[in-house]
Amino acid sequence: MFRPQLDPTGERWYTWEFMIPSSWGKTDKGFAIMQIHESEGGPVAVQFTLHLEHDRLVARVPMDVTVPGTESYRVGSHPFIFDRWYSMCLHANWQLDSSGFWELYVDRVPMLKRYGFANAYDREYGGYLKLGIYNFNRVSEWGEKTIYIRNINIWSGDDGYKAVIRGAPICPKHVLED
């Protein structure tokens, strides 16, 4: 049974590790492997997704986060290698006003930092973390896919980077991307 969190807004830290085996093969269709998702009390509403597209992890968010069901767009990406464990952290402050933010880290390196916007739906139920393989783009030739996920944690409040990702964020390499 689904149990809503006490307050659908507020600061949250979501951490997990995952590995995708090379048996996946070609990834040009883009499969979702993580979502912050709301489905209670109205139409399905995705607040944040992480996809595997080609050779990249790609973060996607709705065009208008305050309106459930709007189209999504790419807000960040990170190179991806099969058969390797990744340590992930999504730090979010879910808010109905301009105090909301998202920070997404891959192995303590920032992939996305966005501040000062409304990023929560004005509904009774807040978003919840979904991990696993989702045919987000409704690919017809789905085939068999496997993902390994471990060490899932969710915190509320400001525990800080040292407690949550075991150290300060690491400065990313300066690489130009298309």
Side-chain angles (χ1 to χ4, degrees):
M1 180 178 162
F2 175 78
R3 296 191 190 280
Q5 55 194 16
L6 297 177
D7 182 358
T9 60
E11 191 170 3
R12 304 283 187 281
W13 299 81
Y14 308 87
T15 62
W16 70 97
E17 296 173 337
F18 79 95
M19 190 267 291
I20 297 176
S22 54
S23 60
W24 265 47
K26 200 172 172 183
T27 60
D28 62 335
K29 300 297 183 188
F31 293 95
I33 57 175
M34 171 273 189
Q35 299 178 43
I36 299 293
H37 194 279
E38 182 182 77
S39 64
E40 299 292 327
V44 171
V46 177
Q47 291 169 280
F48 193 100
T49 62
L50 183 64
H51 296 247
L52 178 57
E53 297 178 9
H54 300 281
D55 60 346
R56 302 198 70 80
L57 295 174
V58 176
R60 294 188 173 278
V61 297
M63 294 292 258
D64 185 347
V65 182
T66 63
V67 179
T70 60
E71 291 292 318
S72 68
Y73 70 102
R74 177 179 165 158
V75 290
S77 73
H78 187 277
F80 174 81
I81 300 170
F82 286 107
D83 300 317
R84 178 191 181 284
W85 282 97
Y86 288 88
S87 177
M88 305 297 299
C89 176
L90 173 63
H91 180 206
N93 189 20
W94 303 108
Q95 296 298 329
L96 301 172
D97 61 23
S98 64
S99 63
F101 67 78
W102 291 317
E103 298 176 333
L104 181 64
Y105 298 90
V106 181
D107 298 327
R108 293 179 37 204
V109 175
M111 177 174 145
L112 163 69
K113 289 187 171 192
R114 184 171 172 206
Y115 304 95
F117 63 100
N119 63 355
Y121 298 120
D122 189 11
R123 297 185 359 194
E124 180 181 358
Y125 301 108
Y128 61 93
L129 176 66
K130 289 176 69 173
L131 294 168
I133 306 164
Y134 302 97
N135 191 356
F136 199 82
N137 295 322
R138 295 173 175 76
V139 176
S140 60
E141 297 175 18
W142 174 254
E144 186 173 310
K145 306 281 185 218
T146 301
I147 187 171
Y148 297 97
I149 300 169
R150 66 184 183 191
N151 300 327
I152 304 162
N153 292 288
I154 302 173
W155 288 271
S156 62
D158 185 13
D159 284 342
Y161 298 102
K162 188 174 181 179
V164 177
I165 62 174
R166 298 181 193 99
I170 299 170
C171 184
K173 294 177 184 177
H174 295 284
V175 178
L176 296 176
E177 179 185 359
D178 313 331

